[in-house]
């Protein structure tokens, strides 16, 4: 009920060149009495300036060039972090990447069910509310202490992380394990309490760039071929682009983890081929935690590895994939990591 009140108070501008294609979406929004205004792509900037919506939805399905031009123009004038949701077809890889590069904060592939569409819209509107509180503190906000401000920033990151959960059908437990693994390993590696807490809040965003990866790749129940793997690798730079430009310590850490968690100690990783200490420490920490969780979790293409086998694989990669000092710290705190793993287990599937 509370979520629907947020939606009803919000105004959504939808820019499209074929309203028939988005009828299911507009019908879903109208059922909860949300304020929606439709316009064609070429008039979107004028309508935006006149109406000042809380969320903009741009359809790229019919007139792709018009849609991208619309995004480019909106990017130059949109104020107060008004989020943009781009609509694409199910396999429109170029459209997804172009939309994200022009400022879209999420991608919705059509057709989709009403529940997913409303969840994405609600999540972006919540992000707008949180971003306004972060960027435009009023007198009450100024009087709040550090812990209250930190809570708002943490909530902001959690909302962003939900975008990945929606995209890859994850239950959210991967993000929870990752955040606690990273904080624990960060403490063992010498991060201060404040630094490890920031890493815990930022770590769930390490895969935010996956919102641009097509379902046929992201959800493929088999190993990826070379072209698919090349596409998957772009989630690091896309994620970094989405998180760039913010001056908060939390989002700077989130940017670094998104960009560098697939770099390797010996320089053989991606996307930049960084090596050794040129890789930010938060990226090095996240790399070990991500591999440990991936190995010990069920994936569409593999069963979970036994913990002892996963630990052995990580130890073998010391000096190659991982910083040797962090591998040693990882082994030292393994009991703590296993306690985290036991606490944030995947829910049982009921047949």
């Amino acid at each position: 009920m509370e979520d629907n009140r947020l939606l009803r108070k919000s105004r959504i501008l939808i820019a499209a060149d074929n309203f028939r294609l988005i009828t299911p979406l507009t019908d879903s929004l109208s059922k909860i009495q949300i304020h929606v205004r439709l316009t064609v792509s070429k008039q979107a900037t004028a309508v935006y300036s006149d109406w000042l919506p809380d969320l903009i939805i741009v359809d790229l399905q019919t007139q792709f060039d018009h849609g991208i031009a619309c995004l480019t123009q909106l990017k130059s004038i949109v104020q107060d972090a008004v989020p943009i949701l781009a609509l694409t077809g199910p396999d429109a890889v170029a459209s997804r990447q172009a939309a994200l590069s022009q400022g879209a904060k999420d991608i919705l592939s059509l057709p989709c069910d009403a529940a997913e569409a409303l969840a994405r819209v609600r999540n972006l509107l919540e992000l707008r509310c949180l971003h306004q509180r972060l960027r435009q503190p009023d007198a009450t906000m100024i009087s709040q202490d550090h812990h209250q401000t930190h809570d708002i920033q943490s909530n902001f990151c959690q909302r962003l992380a939900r975008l990945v959960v929606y995209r890859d059908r994850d239950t959210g437990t991967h993000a929870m394990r990752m955040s606690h693994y990273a904080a624990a390993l960060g403490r063992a590696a010498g991060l201060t309490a404040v630094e490890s807490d920031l890493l815990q809040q930022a770590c769930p965003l390490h895969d935010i760039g996956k919102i641009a990866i097509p379902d046929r790749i992201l959800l493929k129940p088999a190993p990826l071929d070379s072209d698919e793997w090349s596409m998957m690798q772009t989630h690091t730079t896309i994620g970094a682009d989405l998180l760039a430009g913010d001056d908060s310590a939390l989002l700077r850490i989130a940017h670094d983890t998104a960009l560098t968690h697939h770099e390797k100690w010996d320089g053989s990783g991606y996307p930049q081929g960084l090596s050794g200490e040129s890789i930010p420490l938060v990226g090095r920490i996240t790399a070990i935690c991500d591999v440990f969780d991936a190995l010990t979790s069920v994936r569409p293409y593999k069963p979970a590895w036994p913990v002892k086998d996963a630990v052995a694989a990580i130890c073998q990669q010391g000096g190659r994939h991982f910083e040797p000092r962090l591998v040693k710290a990882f082994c030292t705190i393994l009991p703590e990591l296993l306690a985290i793993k036991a606490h944030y287990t995947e829910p049982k599937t009921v047949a």
Side-chain angles (χ1 to χ4, degrees):
M1 197 66 68
E2 175 99 24
D3 287 341
N4 282 348
R5 280 200 295 270
L6 169 66
L7 290 173
R8 292 191 191 106
K9 289 192 304 181
S10 303
R11 298 195 288 186
I12 298 179
L13 173 63
I14 302 180
D17 293 301
N18 186 336
F19 295 151
R20 182 181 58 81
L21 291 178
I22 60 169
T23 297
L25 175 61
T26 54
D27 286 349
S28 297
L29 295 174
S30 65
K31 286 178 182 177
I32 55 173
Q33 303 173 351
I34 197 167
H35 301 289
V36 175
R37 187 164 176 178
L38 298 175
T39 185
V40 295
S41 298
K42 290 183 177 180
Q43 297 177 6
T45 53
V47 175
Y48 167 80
S49 299
D50 177 62
W51 200 48
L52 297 179
D54 299 293
L55 172 66
I56 304 169
I57 299 176
V58 178
D59 181 30
L60 301 179
Q61 298 177 96
T62 306
Q63 300 280 351
F64 176 74
D65 291 341
H66 290 180
I68 291 298
C70 174
L71 282 173
T72 303
Q73 292 167 359
L74 286 168
K75 182 181 180 181
S76 68
I77 66 168
V78 164
Q79 300 297 317
D80 301 331
V82 175
I84 300 175
L85 173 64
L87 306 178
T88 71
D91 241 2
V93 178
S95 296
R96 292 169 187 264
Q97 294 185 331
L100 289 166
S101 70
Q102 293 304 318
K105 295 301 183 188
D106 194 11
I107 306 293
L108 182 61
S109 297
L110 299 181
C112 72
D113 61 54
E116 179 182 358
L118 290 177
R120 288 174 181 271
V121 167
R122 181 181 296 112
N123 197 46
L124 288 171
L125 288 171
E126 289 173 342
L127 282 173
R128 170 165 164 75
C129 291
L130 290 165
H131 198 282
Q132 285 180 308
R133 294 178 67 187
L134 282 170
R135 285 298 187 89
Q136 298 178 352
D138 56 20
T140 302
M141 182 69 182
I142 292 171
S143 69
Q144 289 177 332
D145 63 24
H146 166 78
H147 297 293
Q148 290 172 304
T149 304
H150 179 266
D151 286 346
I152 295 171
Q153 293 176 331
S154 298
N155 200 351
F156 182 73
C157 284
Q158 289 166 15
R159 300 295 183 183
L160 279 175
R162 283 187 187 179
L163 302 182
V164 182
V165 173
Y166 290 139
R167 282 290 291 114
D168 67 7
R169 311 301 194 267
D170 179 40
T171 62
T173 54
H174 168 65
M176 293 302 295
R177 288 191 301 270
M178 279 291 298
S179 64
H180 287 280
Y181 288 161
L185 186 54
R187 289 190 295 270
L191 293 185
T192 65
V194 171
E195 290 169 338
S196 61
D197 184 61
L198 287 172
L199 178 56
Q200 179 172 334
Q201 304 306 323
C203 195
L205 297 179
H206 70 284
D207 276 339
I208 187 67
K210 285 184 176 178
I211 65 173
I213 306 302
D215 286 351
R216 63 180 174 78
I217 296 176
L218 197 61
L219 306 177
K220 185 178 180 180
L224 303 180
D225 63 31
S226 59
D227 289 339
E228 292 168 338
W229 180 236
S230 295
M231 175 61 65
M232 179 64 85
Q233 289 179 330
T234 65
H235 81 274
T236 53
T237 51
I238 291 170
D241 288 344
L242 288 172
L243 295 166
D246 198 286
D247 58 2
S248 77
L250 182 56
L251 289 180
R252 286 199 302 271
I253 290 175
H255 169 274
D256 288 348
T257 58
L259 181 63
T260 65
H261 69 283
H262 284 294
E263 299 288 0
K264 295 183 179 181
W265 185 253
D266 66 2
S268 64
Y270 67 87
Q272 296 173 299
L274 301 178
S275 63
E277 294 187 357
S278 65
I279 306 167
L281 178 57
V282 292
R284 287 176 262 155
I285 291 170
T286 304
I288 292 185
C289 298
D290 197 28
V291 169
F292 177 67
D293 196 64
L295 292 178
T296 57
S297 300
V298 175
R299 290 289 186 265
Y301 53 87
K302 74 165 189 68
W305 285 26
V307 169
K308 63 179 180 62
D309 293 344
V311 172
I314 287 173
C315 290
Q316 289 171 359
Q317 287 297 313
R320 288 181 283 181
H321 192 156
F322 309 118
E323 179 183 1
R325 177 179 70 96
L326 291 181
V327 172
K328 183 177 180 180
F330 169 86
C331 293
T332 299
I333 65 165
L334 185 59
E336 182 180 357
L337 300 179
L338 295 181
I340 293 169
K341 177 175 174 57
H343 184 72
Y344 295 103
T345 57
E346 299 289 339
K348 300 292 185 183
T349 302
V350 178

